[in-house]
Amino acid sequence: DAGVTQSPTHLIKTRGQQVTLRCSPKSGHDTVSWYQQALGQGPQFIFQYYEEEERQRGNFPDRFSGHQFPNYSSELNVNALLLGDSALYLCASSYGQVRRGELFFGEGSRLTVL
Amino acid sequence: AQKVTQAQTEISVVEKEDVTLDCVYETRDTTYYLFWYKQPPSGELVFLIRRNSFDEQNEISGRYSWNFQKSTSSFNFTITASQVVDSAVYFCALSEKDYGQNFVFGPGTRLSVLP
């Protein structure tokens, strides 16, 4: 049973560039969330997708956008990269939106912005 | 406003010692859920436990135990007879209102268990 998979695992970009990160949820899961984890800090919620729509959003600028596909996989796009966007980006999945559900996380995509 | 505080940034113990990780939360909701997650060096967060605000019964699972006290807004986690494999960063998290995956995580506590 495949867990949450993310790609790429590491990438380096320069300021002003754009990046796309990808996530495949755990088998049977239909809800995907994205979190940003800066070095030495706890994860911060970016947004959540369910039924191909953004359902909740954290305190992140519009430079951060996403998409969910019919197969429940998801992409996170960040435009006009800033140095402060350097972080580990974690994808989490669950079945349904209920907050009581535990989240299953991938190993993350580590983005470095130079 | 919702907030999770983990005052211990780093803890080092010797194998077989007991260790308690502290978590204090803030929320205005009467219904909420608290979680503990473990983050090993590989990066993924691993779910350990979930508690809802109506269930203050403490729980023991193997070497792990949890102490939830609403009166002090605390949800502490204890590892008994720690092992080297317990070395990781541990996060306490809070989920409140409606539905969704919007969890508020604390800053984490890095636990090092030395042989």
Side-chain angles (χ1 to χ4, degrees):
Chain A
D1 180 19
V4 179
T5 58
Q6 294 186 242
S7 63
T9 54
H10 294 82
L11 69 166
I12 300 174
K13 293 286 187 176
T14 57
R15 281 180 297 175
Q17 284 189 314
Q18 178 264 344
V19 67
T20 297
L21 308 178
R22 296 175 177 81
C23 170
S24 292
K26 181 179 169 63
S27 178
H29 286 182
D30 57 5
T31 303
V32 174
S33 300
W34 287 91
Y35 284 79
Q36 180 195 65
Q37 186 179 16
L39 195 63
Q41 298 182 23
Q44 283 194 294
F45 176 76
I46 302 175
F47 43 52
Q48 171 202 319
Y49 278 85
Y50 173 69
E51 293 185 334
E52 302 179 48
E53 288 189 15
E54 182 182 297
R55 300 291 180 167
Q56 287 194 323
R57 188 179 183 92
N59 188 26
F60 279 81
D62 292 344
R63 297 188 297 110
F64 289 77
S65 63
H67 189 77
Q68 185 179 35
F69 299 95
N71 66 353
Y72 308 121
S73 66
S74 177
E75 287 183 350
L76 164 65
N77 301 293
V78 186
N79 295 323
L81 285 168
L82 304 174
L83 295 180
D85 294 332
S86 295
L88 179 68
Y89 289 85
L90 295 165
C91 174
S93 74
S94 68
Y95 176 72
Q97 299 188 83
V98 290
R99 59 189 166 122
R100 290 163 289 184
E102 66 182 85
L103 298 181
F104 288 79
F105 284 84
E107 294 188 351
S109 294
R110 185 165 295 282
L111 171 64
T112 301
V113 182
L114 302 177
Chain B
Q2 46 187 318
K3 185 179 178 180
V4 176
T5 302
Q6 295 178 254
Q8 305 149 309
T9 305
E10 293 190 39
I11 300 176
S12 289
V13 298
V14 177
E15 204 169 20
K16 297 185 182 178
E17 286 185 359
D18 299 346
V19 58
T20 295
L21 309 182
D22 298 333
C23 172
V24 174
Y25 62 92
E26 294 177 27
T27 176
R28 293 178 180 174
D29 275 9
T30 56
T31 301
Y32 52 88
Y33 292 83
L34 296 165
F35 301 79
W36 275 97
Y37 279 84
K38 172 183 179 180
Q39 187 175 42
S42 55
E44 85 278 18
L45 279 83
V46 178
F47 167 81
L48 296 177
I49 191 173
R50 171 185 60 244
R51 262 290 173 268
N52 71 53
S53 52
F54 298 107
D55 181 7
E56 288 193 74
Q57 183 176 3
N58 294 321
E59 180 172 338
I60 297 175
S61 176
R63 296 186 299 108
Y64 298 164
S65 62
W66 291 270
N67 186 346
F68 175 31
Q69 292 191 340
K70 286 180 70 173
S71 61
T72 56
S73 297
S74 65
F75 185 44
N76 297 336
F77 170 39
T78 297
I79 302 175
T80 303
S82 60
Q83 300 175 359
V84 173
V85 293
D86 295 327
S87 297
V89 181
Y90 290 83
F91 292 96
C92 181
L94 166 70
S95 175
E96 61 175 33
K97 84 163 79 170
D98 300 324
Y99 50 83
Q101 315 298 329
N102 186 352
F103 287 20
V104 175
F105 283 85
T109 297
R110 179 176 297 278
L111 173 64
S112 298
V113 181
L114 308 175

